[in-house]
Amino acid sequence: MSNALKQRLLSSVLMSLLLSGLMTAWVTWLNLGFVGDFIGRWLHAYLMSWPAAFTIVVLLGPTVQRLSWRWVGGSPVAASSPAPSKPVAAKKGKRGALQKAGA
């Protein structure tokens, strides 16, 4: 199994655990308040929702990531690999101060 696949699966597990845990706790509290068996009811909802959350993250995660990259006008390749740096030549501006070329 490649590191990219391991990272994708681990990320999906963590995201779905966190999101389903927080959302089920929130909705359980909204519906019931902090009743005596809150933890039991929340845990039941959590265990029922996590498999669905994991499946949704695995199936729709890549599409959502591509869509978000399109919206911000970048690409995941550009974000993960640093651009090669090249020296920037300095030039004198109108008032004699040094400026970066292209500025």
Side-chain angles (χ1 to χ4, degrees), residues 54-98:
F54 176 73
T55 303
I56 291 166
V57 169
V58 167
L59 294 177
L60 298 180
T63 302
V64 170
Q65 288 177 344
R66 281 192 300 274
L67 182 62
S68 63
W69 277 111
R70 188 174 304 141
W71 284 351
V72 298
S75 74
V77 175
S80 62
S81 59
S85 61
K86 40 184 185 175
V88 177
K91 65 177 185 176
K92 289 205 175 198
K94 293 178 184 176
R95 299 182 186 212
L98 287 178

Side-chain angles (χ1 to χ4, degrees), residues 13 19 38 49 54 97:
V13 167
L19 188 57
F38 175 83
S49 71
F54 176 73

